[in-house]
Amino acid sequence: MTDSGIPDTLGTSTGIGDATLNALRRTQGTRARRLLLAVTLLLGLLAAAGLALGGPPGDRTFAKLSDAAQSLMSVIVPAFGVLLARDLKRASPTARLTPTLLAASLLAAIVGLFGFLVCVAALTVTTSTAPDPWRHVGVIAVGGVLIQVVAQLVGTGLGLLLRRPAVAFLATIVLPLGLWFLLGAIDVLKPAQALTPYSTVRHLLSGQMSALNWIQWLAVLLIWGVGLNALGAARPFRTAQITPRPMAS
């Protein structure tokens, strides 16, 4: 996960709106990042289209299409958060974290909205034998966006905490899933699975969200989104500026 050519505008914008727009532009500031976004969206499109066209007619529901498309895209989305965090670590000491988090969340929301649209299109052009293929469409549509936002914030948080972007990206996959499997393997700790991102993904993409499920999602956002980024912000991650010594006369 390396790219170059990103202009250092993190410390030059005075308003949070301008800084956020600059950070959002940086998400697509290189050819590698544009290619990464194209691959992310293509995976979501292929997942929805593949299940709609090649899957059993009874499985052609908005929930199942969204599960395939949004879950697959959420694996790649944190890479943008990791890269934006790296940009921030390379910026001037006056650069702010908030615009980066806002830009990362906006990009994630765009990806989630794209997933919603391709699932709607895929289900519309196919025939389904499911009793109610559009069941819970509203909740699932919102859930798709929320899933991508949390995934992205995990990326920014681990990108701030870990030195190597490649390691940080791998950690966005291994840490949440590994913790989910570990907690599930120990009976007394199984209830804590509800506080992992994977658990909330299952609820959001099924559309069956109770009041308790929403509270669990909020807890996941606070732990994995807010918590990781707060730890990253507290870490002295920026490289100190080296002042050249005057030459001896």
Side-chain angles (χ1 to χ4, degrees):
M1 294 181 62
T2 59
D3 56 6
S4 59
I6 302 294
D8 182 12
T9 56
L10 281 160
T12 59
S13 298
T14 57
I16 191 170
D18 289 340
T20 300
L21 287 176
N22 284 333
L24 190 59
R25 293 188 191 102
R26 280 196 306 278
T27 64
Q28 297 303 293
T30 67
R31 183 178 180 182
R33 297 188 185 194
R34 292 190 292 271
L35 179 60
L36 184 62
L37 180 61
V39 169
T40 303
L41 300 181
L42 181 61
L43 287 175
L45 175 61
L46 292 177
L51 184 58
L53 298 175
D59 286 345
R60 296 170 187 171
T61 66
F62 187 76
K64 289 187 179 296
L65 295 182
S66 296
D67 193 356
Q70 299 285 11
S71 296
L72 194 55
M73 291 191 298
S74 70
V75 175
I76 309 298
V77 161
F80 294 98
V82 171
L83 292 172
L84 285 173
R86 189 188 65 170
D87 294 344
L88 190 66
K89 288 191 287 187
R90 290 179 170 182
S92 65
T94 59
R96 295 166 291 177
L97 176 60
T98 300
T100 293
L101 297 181
L102 288 175
S105 298
L106 284 173
L107 180 65
I110 291 170
V111 172
L113 179 59
F114 174 83
F116 164 72
L117 293 175
V118 297
C119 290
V120 168
L123 189 56
T124 300
V125 301
T126 56
T127 302
S128 173
T129 60
D132 186 4
W134 295 97
R135 189 181 182 191
H136 302 308
V137 60
V139 174
I140 297 170
V142 173
V145 172
L146 298 180
I147 287 166
Q148 304 303 340
V149 170
V150 171
Q152 185 77 295
L153 292 178
V154 171
T156 56
L158 291 176
L160 291 172
L161 286 168
L162 301 177
R163 183 181 298 273
R164 296 177 180 271
V167 174
F169 174 64
L170 289 176
T172 65
I173 302 171
V174 174
L175 182 59
L177 279 178
L179 186 59
W180 185 83
F181 280 115
L182 178 63
L183 294 173
I186 304 173
D187 289 339
V188 71
L189 297 179
K190 275 187 178 181
Q193 280 186 311
L195 300 179
T196 61
Y198 183 74
S199 181
T200 58
V201 166
R202 302 272 57 81
H203 291 300
L204 286 168
L205 293 181
S206 72
Q208 299 176 7
M209 291 291 290
S210 64
L212 178 59
N213 293 145
W214 283 113
I215 293 173
Q216 290 171 344
W217 176 83
L218 182 60
V220 167
L221 174 65
L222 292 175
I223 295 169
W224 293 87
V226 178
L228 284 179
N229 284 282
L231 288 174
R235 185 171 182 266
F237 54 80
R238 290 188 178 88
T239 304
Q241 299 293 321
I242 300 176
T243 304
R245 294 180 181 179
M247 295 181 63
S249 56

